[in-house]
Amino acid sequence: MSLDYENDKALANAAIQEVLDAYPEKTAKKRKKHLGTIETTDEGSSCNVKSNVKSAPGVMTIRGCAYAGSKGVCWGPIKDMVHISHGPVGCGQYSWSQRRNYYNGTTGVDSFVTMQITSDFQEKDIVFGGDKMLEKMIDEAKVLFPLARGFSVQSECPIGLIGDDIEAVARKKAKDTGLPVIPVRCEGFRGVSQSLGHHIANDTVRDWVFTRENKEEFETTPYDVNIIGDYNIGGDAWSSRILLEEMGLRVIAQWTGDSTLAEMERAPKAKINLIHCYRSMNYICRHMEEKYNIPWMEYNFFGPSQIEKSLRKIAAHFDETIQANAEKVIAKYRPAVDAVIAKFRPRLEGKSVLLYVGGLRPRHTATAYEDLGMKIVGAGYEFAHNDDYQRTTEYMKDGTLIFDDVTGFELEKFIEKLRPDLVGSGIKEKYAVQKMGVPFRQMHSWDYSGPYHGYDGFAVFARDMDMAINNPVWSLQKAPWKKAAAE
């Protein structure tokens, strides 16, 4: 057992204890189950962190809601459908064009990702119901957007509370318009976080898309694959697609970044599902495995070490030609990777990182940081489940601090105690952390940069981390512990 492990573990446990000491006894008892460290034994690694339960009342959680999980993540990036936020204007406004899901197309003509379309519930609609208004709205949208291939109805909290029958409206308007109308029961109060919204969105694909008749004819090949759970943040899915196609594979569906309704409908014809964001899309992959006998595998295109591992793992599902092509792709990009590492690793070597992002990225980006000589000292998720944390142990080192659904107070205390050189989290945390004098990268949507996937994305990733940590502005704004040391 290394000295670093002992030091890291002791520091992490001290930070956890200081946080718990500040809480009332009942709250401390609850939160203790959600905080821990990576422990490695002869039987493997574990962190024993509890997850996917309600946030403690009174704390400032950073989670989203089921509506955010469905509309903002799974359904919103499907570009050729009009996605109606059914309810008051606030939810749709908050989710309007926030994730940088890049797409090809003309906005308002054949693509609608960055448009905010809402039924704008008022008091009278709460009293009398909004079914009639929803019907009228779909008719109007059909006239306004004649190239739209369908509609989804993303229900907000009041819809579930007053009992609007959006399923009946969807069936009626599908007949009237001749287009699919998908009702999504993703009211924000459902579940404990946005994670249930992902699950609900997957279930509506299963029940309302895969069961549709009159689908487009589609000719298959032995090399057809689906990219599942990649939302094309900053062009990520495009970077991933380049590598898969260079291997000789054909991407027939790309969910849901830069994707279409037709791609979703033909997804069950693929030979394998390649899932990037396991937390948000594993449900539909499992369904396709059970219903259509399509295998699935999780892949990771963050950083060269994981890209190489994933390319070989994907190729192993196909013939020797694809396997040979995978090696050619790896060899082709190795000089570019070596150049990136030679340039940025000396500037980033030994720097520490604390991550708190969604339900996937801390573990997937961990080795990309390590490829640059950086060290993960703490990691956590907003809405992960127990199997996500178990997967995390494969990527994190002994003694790493692990936290679930961290509160604002906890996050600031962990930053203060672990003193990372960089924090990667979301927009809600960005400015508070920067005011502490700590470099920050917005790791939900790449801080208006990207892509970060693939070999091209690794170059952008390395540049952005260097730009954040080594920016001369931090000589003007010092972290509290650096101020104390200077004094």
Side-chain angles (χ1 to χ4, degrees), residues 43-87:
E43 298 177 357
S45 298
S46 64
C47 59
N48 297 320
V49 168
K50 191 171 183 179
S51 61
N52 196 36
V53 298
K54 290 182 179 180
S55 302
V59 304
M60 185 63 74
T61 181
I62 302 163
R63 284 172 163 175
C65 67
Y67 164 85
S70 176
K71 197 271 185 181
V73 177
C74 297
W75 277 101
I78 300 170
K79 63 184 180 182
D80 62 350
M81 295 180 70
V82 171
H83 305 290
I84 299 171
S85 294
H86 188 36

Side-chain angles (χ1 to χ4, degrees), residues 116-318:
Q116 206 292 76
I117 299 167
T118 176
S119 54
D120 188 22
F121 250 48
Q122 301 296 314
E123 185 176 350
K124 63 179 176 59
D125 302 309
I126 300 294
V127 176
F128 298 108
D131 289 351
K132 296 297 183 185
M133 177 177 64
L134 180 60
E135 290 184 29
K136 183 179 178 182
M137 187 178 182
I138 293 172
D139 289 335
E140 290 178 352
K142 178 73 165 57
V143 174
L144 287 170
F145 309 113
L147 296 185
R149 302 302 298 272
F151 306 89
S152 79
V153 179
Q154 308 288 323
S155 58
E156 299 172 17
C157 287
I159 307 308
L161 294 173
I162 66 176
D164 269 11
D165 192 349
I166 61 173
E167 290 81 8
V169 172
R171 292 187 183 96
K172 179 182 178 183
K173 299 317 295 180
K175 289 181 179 179
D176 292 346
T177 62
L179 296 173
V181 181
I182 315 296
V184 191
R185 283 282 179 187
C186 58
E187 292 90 356
F189 57 74
R190 293 180 181 271
V192 302
S193 70
Q194 57 263 58
S195 181
L196 184 61
H198 305 148
H199 199 159
I200 292 168
N202 282 220
D203 288 349
T204 56
V205 173
R206 178 196 67 199
D207 298 338
W208 291 80
V209 176
F210 286 175
T211 58
R212 284 192 70 231
E213 298 178 357
N214 304 319
K215 297 177 185 176
E216 293 182 6
E217 293 295 323
F218 185 75
E219 187 174 340
T220 63
T221 75
Y223 301 121
D224 293 343
V225 301
N226 295 325
I227 294 178
I228 304 289
D230 191 323
Y231 305 103
N232 207 31
I233 307 300
D236 280 341
W238 295 335
S239 294
S240 299
R241 190 170 185 146
I242 287 171
L243 299 181
L244 296 173
E245 291 175 347
E246 285 188 7
M247 286 170 60
L249 301 176
R250 183 173 76 151
V251 179
I252 65 170
Q254 185 174 288
W255 286 18
T256 59
D258 193 32
S259 86
T260 63
L261 177 63
E263 288 182 57
M264 298 175 72
E265 291 176 342
R266 65 175 175 247
K269 297 179 181 291
K271 298 300 182 287
I272 188 171
N273 284 320
L274 306 177
I275 182 169
H276 173 67
C277 182
Y278 170 85
R279 183 70 275 137
S280 64
M281 284 286 182
N282 76 87
Y283 317 101
I284 198 66
C285 288
R286 293 179 191 278
H287 170 71
M288 282 193 270
E289 182 178 44
E290 295 170 4
K291 175 90 174 184
Y292 307 105
N293 201 31
I294 302 174
W296 60 275
M297 60 162 281
E298 188 178 8
Y299 73 99
N300 181 352
F301 276 0
F302 284 108
S305 61
Q306 288 298 324
I307 295 173
E308 291 183 11
K309 184 177 178 181
S310 291
L311 288 176
R312 290 181 174 126
K313 189 177 176 183
I314 293 167
H317 286 269
F318 296 91

Side-chain angles (χ1 to χ4, degrees), residues 21 43 67 112 136 149 157 222 239 359 369 372 413 428-429 458 467 473 479:
D21 288 343
E43 298 177 357
Y67 164 85
F112 311 97
K136 183 179 178 182
R149 302 302 298 272
C157 287
S239 294
Y369 285 108
L372 295 169
K413 186 60 69 174
K428 299 173 187 174
E429 301 79 68
F458 179 65
M467 182 171 62
V473 72

Side-chain angles (χ1 to χ4, degrees), residues 321-383:
T321 300
I322 299 298
Q323 294 171 27
N325 288 346
E327 296 302 325
K328 291 177 183 177
V329 170
I330 292 169
K332 172 186 174 181
Y333 288 98
R334 188 161 285 149
V337 167
D338 291 343
V340 171
I341 291 175
K343 178 178 180 179
F344 290 105
R345 183 160 183 146
R347 297 172 59 82
L348 297 171
E349 187 88 47
K351 300 294 186 183
S352 60
V353 187
L354 185 143
L355 298 168
Y356 179 57
V357 197
L360 163 82
R361 287 178 179 149
R363 74 170 183 269
H364 265 201
T365 60
T367 46
Y369 285 108
E370 290 170 358
D371 288 337
L372 295 169
M374 304 172 75
K375 175 184 178 182
I376 308 299
V377 294
Y381 304 103
E382 296 171 24
F383 51 82

